[in-house]
Amino acid sequence: MSISRLLEEIDSLAAFSAAPAPAVTRVVFSEEDSKARTWLKARFEEAGLRVRHDAIGNTFARWEGSDPSRKPVATGSHIDAIPNAGKYDGVIGVLGALDAFRSLRESGFSPKAPMEIVLFTSEEPTLFGIGCLGSRLLSGSLSPEAAATLRDRNGKSLDDWRHEAGFAGDLKDAALPIGHFAAFVELHIEQGPLLEREKLAIGIVEKIAAPAAWRVRLEGEGGHAGAVLMPGRRDALLGGAETALAVERLVNTLGSDDGVGTTGVFHVKPGAINSVPLECVLEIDIRDTDHAARLAVEAALKSEIQNIATSRKLEVTVEVINSDPPAICDSGVISVIEAASENLPHRRMISRAYHDSLFLSRIAPTSMIFIPCRNGYSHRPDEYSKPEDIEKGVQVLARTLAALAGTT
């Protein structure tokens, strides 16, 4: 492989950004996203890969194998980036896969099974409030009917956005059948500190945590901060504060060791210092690798929210934005990655962030390869992985793909 070429390409892709370096902002279907896709398609074609895309914009770059009856072995990730992000998240799994393909070809390897790089559309939830949009549709985890109802904050539809970006066709055609891929492997920065802390080169993912995301709306009664006396108040913000604290308490008492809960959005109306809050909207993320434990937290939280609303005389609505089961990665694929990592310090681990691999695991044997990132930082401009760590990750990916695809 050529680490210098790969690093140059990472920098080139990072330049397609709505924010100045070192930050990367590349929201799906934006002008920056479209230019980045065009640039990447050219790199795929230069490498001799056949490129196609589906109705949502998932892009497939294919290296034909010698046995057309074999199911393809796939790898890939995403290149969309939340505002003020870094240049490695997702990108390592796309450009690293391309470099793995090129290095295998340059070494004289010829695959028996076809090999594909998949660029997934909208792994980040920035535009529509739902993550992994492309892989959800590809795996059949999201219905075309539900996808068609998605709107951005200004009411613009998914169909409007994708058509403007040049992706036509029926969304139902994006779904692939169970077993379409022989295996799927995603290379990714860890987005956590464990590998760096333990001085390990490779993490082999055996479980992927998955979230339930809720939007909770509490409605009370406003009024002048001086004129509405305390006994008669119906303060929506205080109900929201109790709810956020309940999330923390219930995850700590009912969740597994991997369970986490976050109240990341808290909107208050009217938002004036001298006015009693009449409405509070919270968005809550609850994650776990133990589905039963997460469901227990969700059930208890639903009851708790109702009790809070009743005691404070608030109206409440709870909207489930998404609720996905966690993934158990395939033991066979894990074993292949372990064999490919045998000369490097490595460990099995859990992915506490979720990825497109979560949804690919529903239609194909799946695992992930993690590499260290400095301080575990991600989704911020100082996100960084050392060149030598990237190189080791790509080498493990190449050996893994070669073993899965076979040789002629």
Side-chain angles (χ1 to χ4, degrees):
M1 66 169 293
S2 171
I3 187 62
S4 59
R5 175 179 59 189
L6 176 54
L7 294 175
E8 288 174 4
E9 290 181 338
I10 291 170
D11 287 340
S12 294
L13 190 56
F16 298 105
S17 171
V24 176
T25 297
R26 191 166 49 241
V27 176
V28 68
F29 300 140
S30 65
E31 180 181 357
E32 295 78 22
D33 181 56
S34 295
K35 289 180 178 178
R37 287 170 178 267
T38 299
W39 177 88
L40 187 58
K41 181 182 178 184
R43 304 290 82 72
F44 287 153
E45 291 175 340
E46 287 172 1
L49 306 178
R50 180 167 57 85
V51 182
R52 69 174 181 88
H53 62 75
D54 65 16
I56 192 63
N58 292 321
T59 301
F60 305 82
R62 186 178 179 98
W63 182 359
E64 295 293 352
S66 63
D67 185 351
S69 69
R70 294 276 294 268
K71 295 177 180 179
V73 171
T75 184
S77 194
H78 67 100
I79 63 167
D80 64 310
I82 66 169
N84 203 45
K87 63 183 178 182
Y88 298 93
D89 174 25
V91 168
I92 290 293
V94 178
L95 290 179
L98 175 58
D99 208 60
F101 275 34
R102 288 186 297 213
S103 65
L104 286 171
R105 192 188 294 274
E106 290 162 3
S107 73
F109 175 78
S110 180
K112 191 169 187 179
M115 294 168 58
E116 287 193 340
I117 301 171
V118 187
L119 166 63
F120 295 102
T121 290
S122 195
E123 194 264 1
E124 305 292 1
T126 312
L127 193 57
F128 302 107
I130 182 171
C132 298
L133 179 57
S135 54
R136 285 178 190 270
L137 283 163
L138 183 149
S139 64
S141 303
L142 177 70
S143 72
E145 294 77 19
T149 68
L150 293 175
R151 299 287 188 276
D152 68 10
R153 292 178 182 177
N154 297 315
K156 188 173 177 179
S157 73
L158 168 61
D159 279 349
D160 288 340
W161 273 110
R162 69 184 180 96
H163 291 154
E164 287 178 11
F167 303 119
D170 196 321
L171 287 176
K172 68 178 177 59
D173 295 332
L176 298 177
I178 294 173
H180 175 83
F181 294 120
F184 180 82
V185 181
E186 183 174 4
L187 175 65
H188 209 281
I189 61 172
E190 182 193 350
Q191 298 181 291
L194 297 183
L195 292 176
E196 182 184 56
R197 184 181 301 161
E198 298 177 15
K199 295 180 170 48
L200 299 175
I202 298 293
I204 303 167
V205 176
E206 54 184 358
K207 294 180 182 179
I208 305 173
W214 291 11
R215 183 176 294 113
V216 178
R217 185 182 305 274
L218 294 159
E219 296 177 89
E221 186 173 22
H224 193 286
V228 182
L229 298 180
M230 300 305 287
R233 291 196 175 192
R234 298 171 58 211
D235 188 321
L237 183 150
L238 294 180
E242 280 198 72
T243 298
L245 290 171
V247 171
E248 178 187 46
R249 173 170 47 81
L250 292 171
V251 169
N252 282 330
T253 56
L254 299 177
S256 76
D257 290 343
D258 298 314
V260 292
T262 306
T263 304
V265 173
F266 204 108
H267 293 307
V268 180
K269 290 182 179 180
I273 192 172
N274 61 343
S275 183
V276 177
L278 61 89
E279 180 182 273
C280 182
V281 177
L282 302 85
E283 292 184 4
I284 299 166
D285 182 301
I286 304 168
R287 304 186 186 212
D288 212 318
T289 57
D290 184 330
H291 197 199
R294 198 194 75 196
L295 291 174
V297 172
E298 291 183 68
L301 180 61
K302 186 175 182 180
S303 177
E304 188 86 358
I305 291 171
Q306 190 58 59
N307 291 338
I308 291 166
T310 300
S311 68
R312 292 188 173 276
K313 298 181 175 59
L314 305 173
E315 300 295 324
V316 61
T317 58
V318 177
E319 175 191 354
V320 177
I321 300 171
N322 60 268
S323 182
D324 302 303
I328 306 298
C329 294
D330 182 77
S331 60
V333 176
I334 289 171
S335 295
V336 174
I337 299 172
E338 284 184 320
S341 307
E342 63 180 354
N343 295 321
L344 296 167
H346 63 273
R347 61 166 287 182
R348 292 191 181 196
M349 63 189 307
I350 290 166
S351 174
R352 289 178 171 82
Y354 79 107
H355 306 274
D356 292 305
S357 288
L358 176 72
F359 298 97
L360 266 291
S361 71
R362 300 182 183 179
I363 64 168
T366 295
S367 183
M368 300 184 70
I369 300 168
F370 277 174
I371 61 171
C373 56
R374 184 173 57 197
N375 298 324
Y377 292 165
S378 184
H379 283 192
R380 45 190 282 180
D382 55 353
E383 177 182 272
Y384 177 75
S385 281
K386 296 177 183 176
E388 56 267 34
D389 290 330
I390 297 171
E391 185 173 24
K392 290 170 186 174
V394 173
Q395 289 170 346
V396 170
L397 177 64
R399 290 194 290 265
T400 299
L401 295 173
L404 291 169
T407 185
T408 55

